[in-house]
Amino acid sequence: ADNDAMQWEKIKQQTKGWESALVNLELSCKSAKHFFDLFLSNDAINSLKVFQGNCIGDKNITVEVWKSDIEHEDATNTETSISRLVQFEHKSGVSMAKVTRQQTYQYYGDHACLKNVTKIKGKGVPDAFFVEDMWFIELTGDDGIAISVSFRLNFTKSTMLKSIIESRTTAETKQWYQKYSSFVRQKMHQNVPIEEEISPPPDATARMNVDWFALVLDWFRSLASSCQQIVPPTLGQKLQQQTLTPRVLLSSIHHYVSDLKEMFRNAPISLLFLIFALFVYRLKTRVTALETLVEDLEQRLIELEKLGFDVHPPTTELTS
């Protein structure tokens, strides 16, 4: 027991200076093994595959079975570490990236640690880094555990995109763990704030195949239908219905102007929706085009780096 406690404190010290993704997420699990059985085991009901597919929207997810890191050892033996490989495709920007995650799980007495090493390959993603994170699952007593997660980025080679990679990966990692903590608490039937509740993401193919022209056209038709109910008949039509006299002419003009005022008082609501829809459509189109340009630029920088070109900005020294 004393040795387990020493090893536990030692492994926690390894993440000193790392970024925090989760801090003391309290769950009503009886033990670290109880959490493992519910969320990490080969036959877990609330497995990582369920979360990645239903909550994140990843595709082609494969999760290998846990295997002992010591040859001929049983993977269910809590005295040894176990490992498995997780692979999936994740939408990054406007393209898909292939993600490989090597997981290692180890018990330390009543506590447990899950270590992940994640590598990403895809358009606009340089082969220059990987993400390392560690889960510390601690028994807190009173039939409860607390989970804390720390992570860091490891760069294997120099890249001009380092600051962009750090910013984007850090944000995505924290967002992933925020969603995962909500997922776990929901499955444990613990209270989750409404703003943290997660729902299945919209199907990516459905989003891409939206016929925006048809959508705008429907708004035009709706607007036309509304206008038909409020647009008055033409002045000529009104005059044709009556015997033309100066008094009738003046009266018809007066009523026609009144009808026009009523029309313009009601029409702006429909026009506002139409203008807003067109604005959103144009904005979405431009954002998508910008994301594509940025990814193309990043890909070209990566190709230049592979060819050995120095794509780092020149530095100048200040002389006194």
Side-chain angles (χ1 to χ4, degrees), residues 19-115:
E19 192 92 24
S20 292
L22 278 180
V23 179
N24 291 330
L25 172 63
E26 296 183 351
L27 300 171
S28 54
C29 291
K30 298 178 182 178
S31 62
K33 187 178 185 306
H34 184 204
F35 175 81
F36 179 86
D37 293 339
L38 290 175
F39 296 96
L40 298 174
S41 65
N42 294 328
D43 55 354
I45 298 176
N46 308 307
S47 65
L48 186 65
K49 185 174 183 178
V50 172
F51 172 73
Q52 294 287 156
N54 295 349
C55 301
I56 302 298
D58 293 332
K59 306 295 182 182
N60 299 322
I61 306 168
T62 60
V63 181
E64 296 182 358
V65 297
W66 290 103
K67 295 179 181 179
S68 173
D69 291 334
I70 300 179
E71 191 176 1
H72 306 305
E73 282 284 347
D74 184 358
T76 60
N77 185 355
T78 58
E79 299 300 321
T80 62
S81 62
I82 54 178
S83 299
R84 71 177 180 184
L85 187 67
V86 179
Q87 299 180 82
F88 53 89
E89 293 180 356
H90 176 71
K91 193 171 189 301
S92 177
V94 295
S95 61
M96 297 296 291
K98 293 184 178 181
V99 181
T100 301
R101 179 171 297 158
Q102 182 69 41
Q103 295 188 310
T104 304
Y105 191 85
Q106 172 75 63
Y107 286 101
Y108 296 86
D110 293 329
H111 312 310
C113 176
L114 173 68
K115 180 178 179 180

Side-chain angles (χ1 to χ4, degrees), residues 3 18 22 39 48 96 115 128 135 191 201 274 279 288 295 314:
N3 184 54
W18 291 21
L22 278 180
F39 296 96
L48 186 65
M96 297 296 291
K115 180 178 179 180
W135 301 19
N191 293 329
L274 177 61
F279 173 77
T288 302
E295 285 199 357

Side-chain angles (χ1 to χ4, degrees), residues 173-206:
T173 300
K174 290 184 176 181
Q175 184 181 43
W176 189 95
Y177 278 105
Q178 182 181 11
K179 290 184 176 181
Y180 187 73
S181 66
S182 298
F183 169 78
V184 170
R185 283 183 288 171
Q186 286 181 5
K187 298 304 180 182
M188 294 297 297
H189 304 293
Q190 296 184 194
N191 293 329
V192 179
I194 294 177
E195 63 272 14
E196 294 185 20
E197 290 184 358
I198 55 177
S199 57
D203 182 72
T205 304

